[in-house]
Amino acid sequence: MVFIYESSRWTKKGSISGYFLASRNMGWIPVGTSLFASNIGSGHFIGLAGAGAASGIAAHGYEQGAIYGLMLLGWVFVPVYLASEVYTMPEYLRYRFGGQRIRLYLSCLTLSLSIFTKIAADLYAGALFIQLALNKNSSWWLYICVLLLLLFAAVFTIVGGLTTVVYTDLVQTVLMVLGSLILMVISFNAVGGYSGLVEKYPYAVASIKAKDAFNRSCGEPPEDFMSLLRTTDSTKSEYPWTGMTFGLGIIQVWYWCTDQVIVQRTLASKSVVHAKGGTILAAYLKFLPLWVMVFPGMASRILFTDRVACADPETCQAICGSPKGCTNSAYAELVLNLLPMGLRGLMVAVMLAALMSSLTSVFNSSSTIFTIDIWIILRKKLFPRKFGSSKPTEKELIVVGRLFVVVMVVASVLWIPIIQNTGKSQLFDYINMVISFLASPICVIYVAGVSCKRLNEKGAFWGLMVGLFMGIIRFVAEFAYDVPACGSGVPDPRPELIKNIIGGVHYLHFCVLCWIVTFVTAFCVSFVTEPIPDECLYRVTFSSRLDPRVRRPIGKGMDSITQEKVKCAPENGIQLTEAGSSTNTCSAVSIISTETYTSKCEVTEEQRAAAAAHFLREPPFWNKMININCVICLTLSTFVYGFYA
């Protein structure tokens, strides 16, 4: 609590930039560690270790592919977002396309996904770990524990805003890495090292095995367990290489380049160099999950075969409460049975740190989206007499953001029974499937919006609607029926049409198909409708990111707070003119951060536009250093793919 208080004091909580973007004053180390910690929650420790126990290293493709997404974020998307002066991703789409319907649609979709997938997954995984590690089986104890975790995470977010979240992520990342490295060393030692792991894993089969409808043994590890790229037959492989290359690529771009939780960390950077440096640090850290999560999960199957690799529905039900398998308990089994008491407490702290990092990140980012993209638009419609034509004050926006965190907590608590009833061993696959169904249309619009000027609002909207329609159909077909566990003897209730056609198309392959349909729809509609004028696209596309001219709003003026007149402190550095020259007046950072200072100088639209373009300039030395590290990181990642192909 002392750290929360101290870090909250560093935040300029009286300003929207201070609360939602940490005053845009974050260096590359806290940005990078916050990117990593926001992504690695307790769901990763449980889910990745469980996937490793079930089928080997293929699931690490999600982590390895993230490196390419992080580089795209730093070198392509962040410069555009910073130049366009946005707080949220839906707000960027408002600048890029005009209108409010796309912005509102994506805001509501993002908030729904935050509650029902991100928070749900981490709460379920955290609760499962606590139950197994501390041997507490009471449902009331579980509810009390989850409530305390949620309330503590909410305090982090409400008290200090993004600054508290980012600096807390820094501490928690160190804790996660150290704790997981200790468990990794102990796990490798227990199975005879790396060579022992590879030799023993394929023979780690439960003593009691059921048979499926084709008289095949359940729970057998795949032959290609040490391969990242596997057969394209979706009936034989959970991770076909075509899906893990193209479908996963779409998911990576959506998650790392357009998701508010992730992008908000880079928007808080003090410069574009620090933003890129943060993505590089996070990319280097993404090499760790294979060693600290996936391999330990495989070791857990070797050490506790009959429990982790149980292959009979009745036996699994008795062990972990899930007839479909107990691989999700792999990491908890290691902590419970390998570590001495002191280290066991450390690993409990690691898991709680992972859970806290994810929850605080989601709470802060979701409150930002609600405040900037929904409240500002709806306040006049819901309360016309009270607000009329008045614009929201910074105090009002911060209060609304904090209150929405409370709403998120309540919604998450109400979702706990659903987590318990539907999560089980299928939760990790459920999360990836839902993302695949919904990510493609969003990915198309952001990629095309950043790279191509011809895409307009009508094309983007109807592309999203067609993609959403496809995703909902697949979602209903996928989850309307409960597929029985292997060896249960219960017949598959799905109709033949769903079983043979939809069930035969892997969700990552469907992701690619949905992307193509959305892309074609969006551009077909755009080409038969009026294009957006070039003067409305300055600094909202990659090709125009350095354009210092004033951007003309699309449609009826902008609702965003970033269009407000701002004042800046004369001692903060430079003031930019239309031509980009400077005097000792106001800094580019203070201009684009939209903070209200006590000052005599008021920034014009021309100065603001020039400052936004100037903000992307990089010192030659640091530009060279980050580019070299980018190449090194991509080369190492490609080597890992080649080595484990």
Side-chain angles (χ1 to χ4, degrees):
M1 294 301 294
V2 173
F3 183 78
I4 300 175
Y5 173 73
E6 290 298 328
S7 59
S8 67
R9 289 178 59 193
W10 305 335
T11 310
K12 294 177 180 177
K13 294 180 290 184
S15 69
I16 47 180
S17 178
Y19 185 76
F20 294 124
L21 292 183
S23 302
R24 277 193 166 132
N25 196 38
M26 290 291 121
W28 64 276
I29 293 179
V31 168
T33 54
S34 187
L35 284 170
F36 181 74
S38 299
N39 169 242
I40 300 294
S42 55
H44 272 70
F45 282 94
I46 298 297
L48 272 180
S55 59
I57 70 169
H60 178 66
Y62 286 96
E63 304 305 302
Q64 203 64 44
I67 294 173
Y68 301 94
L70 280 162
M71 296 303 102
L72 280 174
L73 171 65
W75 270 255
V76 177
F77 287 87
V78 164
V80 177
Y81 297 151
L82 290 174
S84 58
E85 307 172 71
V86 297
Y87 281 76
T88 68
M89 295 301 92
E91 184 185 20
Y92 166 75
L93 295 181
R94 170 68 176 95
Y95 285 3
R96 173 60 179 83
F97 297 110
Q100 299 289 8
R101 55 184 181 176
I102 295 178
R103 180 181 180 181
L104 281 174
Y105 162 73
L106 286 182
S107 298
C108 295
L109 178 62
T110 301
L111 293 177
S112 300
L113 286 173
S114 295
I115 293 173
F116 301 126
T117 60
K118 295 178 181 178
I119 299 177
D122 281 332
L123 284 179
Y124 169 74
L128 176 64
F129 178 85
I130 293 172
Q131 275 187 305
L132 293 173
L134 301 181
N135 196 27
K136 299 289 186 178
N137 298 318
S138 169
S139 59
W140 282 109
W141 184 90
L142 176 65
Y143 277 98
I144 293 173
C145 181
V146 170
L147 282 171
L148 290 175
L149 290 173
L150 283 169
L151 292 174
F152 196 51
V155 169
F156 270 73
T157 309
I158 293 173
V159 170
L162 186 61
T163 299
T164 299
V165 173
V166 169
Y167 280 110
T168 301
D169 283 347
L170 173 59
V171 175
Q172 291 170 342
T173 296
V174 175
L175 186 62
M176 281 191 289
V177 171
L178 290 178
S180 58
L181 284 174
I182 292 173
L183 185 58
M184 177 199 73
V185 172
I186 296 175
S187 300
F188 270 116
N189 183 64
V191 297
Y194 181 85
S195 59
L197 179 79
V198 176
E199 292 173 5
K200 298 174 183 177
Y201 179 83
Y203 304 104
V205 180
S207 56
I208 302 176
K209 295 181 293 183
K211 301 282 187 179
D212 63 11
F214 301 98
N215 201 35
R216 295 174 302 195
S217 296
C218 300
E220 295 279 353
E223 295 179 359
D224 52 357
F225 65 92
M226 288 299 290
S227 175
L228 286 172
L229 303 175
R230 299 183 178 180
T231 175
T232 58
D233 187 350
S234 61
T235 63
K236 296 181 180 179
S237 174
E238 297 179 39
Y239 307 99
W241 75 265
T242 48
M244 293 296 287
T245 301
F246 302 106
L248 182 57
I250 294 170
I251 293 176
Q252 298 293 1
V253 172
W254 167 79
Y255 182 79
W256 292 105
C257 303
T258 72
D259 184 70
Q260 178 68 22
V261 175
I262 297 301
V263 175
Q264 188 173 358
R265 272 80 197 136
T266 58
L267 295 182
S269 304
K270 62 177 66 176
S271 71
V272 70
V273 170
H274 284 273
K276 291 181 177 180
T279 61
I280 290 173
L281 175 58
Y284 280 127
L285 290 173
K286 293 299 283 184
F287 285 97
L288 290 176
L290 174 64
W291 297 91
V292 301
M293 298 176 193
V294 178
F295 284 148
M298 296 170 65
S300 183
R301 180 185 181 116
I302 297 171
L303 296 171
F304 315 108
T305 304
D306 285 332
R307 292 183 59 82
V308 173
C310 65
D312 176 73
E314 293 183 1
T315 304
C316 293
Q317 180 71 40
I319 293 173
C320 65
S322 173
K324 296 182 180 180
C326 295
T327 54
N328 277 338
S329 65
Y331 205 82
E333 291 286 351
L334 292 175
V335 174
L336 190 62
N337 295 293
L338 282 188
L339 297 181
M341 186 60 66
L343 289 179
R344 189 183 305 171
L346 172 64
M347 287 310 301
V348 170
V350 167
M351 295 298 299
L352 294 180
L355 178 61
M356 295 296 296
S357 293
S358 296
L359 290 179
T360 54
S361 298
V362 172
F363 286 152
N364 186 270
S365 298
S366 297
S367 66
T368 305
I369 287 181
F370 179 81
T371 303
I372 306 302
D373 295 305
I374 296 180
W375 176 253
I376 289 179
I377 297 172
L378 297 182
R379 62 193 291 274
K380 297 177 184 178
K381 297 180 181 180
L382 296 176
F383 309 100
R385 293 184 179 180
K386 181 176 181 179
F387 294 114
S389 59
S390 64
K391 297 178 180 179
T393 63
E394 290 190 332
K395 181 179 179 180
E396 174 192 334
L397 295 176
I398 294 172
V399 169
V400 169
R402 288 171 172 168
L403 290 176
F404 186 71
V405 173
V406 178
V407 175
M408 293 279 289
V409 170
V410 174
S412 302
V413 172
L414 295 177
W415 191 248
I416 292 174
I418 308 299
I419 299 172
Q420 289 184 298
N421 293 331
T422 63
K424 302 301 181 183
S425 61
Q426 297 301 309
L427 182 63
F428 193 69
D429 288 340
Y430 163 80
I431 297 296
N432 291 325
M433 286 180 184
V434 172
I435 290 174
S436 295
F437 301 157
L438 300 178
S440 287
I442 301 173
C443 177
V444 170
I445 301 310
Y446 276 98
V447 170
V450 166
S451 60
C452 180
K453 295 181 178 181
R454 189 59 184 86
L455 185 67
N456 60 18
E457 194 271 347
K458 292 183 176 65
F461 178 77
W462 288 110
L464 284 171
M465 292 301 101
V466 171
L468 176 65
F469 179 73
M470 290 181 62
I472 290 177
I473 290 178
R474 177 62 191 260
F475 180 88
V476 172
E478 194 78 49
F479 297 107
Y481 303 94
D482 184 20
V483 180
C486 177
S488 64
V490 178
D492 192 336
R494 295 177 296 175
E496 288 299 319
L497 177 65
I498 294 179
K499 200 161 41 174
N500 296 331
I501 299 178
I502 299 181
V505 179
H506 195 277
Y507 61 84
L508 290 174
H509 293 157
F510 176 83
C511 185
V512 178
L513 176 63
C514 191
W515 194 96
I516 294 173
V517 172
T518 302
F519 181 89
V520 172
T521 302
F523 276 94
C524 284
V525 174
S526 294
F527 281 126
V528 298
T529 52
E530 185 179 358
I532 299 174
D534 285 346
E535 57 267 26
C536 298
L537 298 176
Y538 300 147
R539 298 183 309 285
V540 294
T541 64
F542 186 77
S543 61
S544 65
R545 68 192 185 284
L546 298 175
D547 198 315
R549 290 175 287 183
V550 176
R551 180 174 63 248
R552 180 166 66 85
I554 303 174
K556 297 181 178 179
M558 308 294 275
D559 292 299
S560 171
I561 54 175
T562 55
Q563 294 299 308
E564 297 292 328
K565 292 274 187 179
V566 297
K567 294 180 179 180
C568 58
E571 67 273 12
N572 278 350
I574 61 169
Q575 179 177 0
L576 300 172
T577 64
E578 291 184 58
S581 59
S582 61
T583 60
N584 288 330
T585 313
C586 302
S587 71
V589 176
S590 65
I591 292 176
I592 69 171
S593 67
T594 68
E595 297 201 37
T596 302
Y597 294 95
T598 303
S599 174
K600 296 181 179 179
C601 67
E602 190 169 284
V603 179
T604 66
E605 290 298 326
E606 290 77 12
Q607 290 172 326
R608 187 186 188 89
H614 182 272
F615 189 68
L616 299 185
R617 294 183 181 179
E618 303 174 27
F621 173 79
W622 292 113
N623 174 268
K624 184 177 180 180
M625 290 296 296
I626 58 178
N627 287 337
I628 290 174
N629 275 274
C630 175
V631 173
I632 292 173
C633 202
L634 292 175
T635 302
L636 290 175
S637 181
T638 305
F639 169 79
V640 171
Y641 268 109
F643 186 82
Y644 287 110

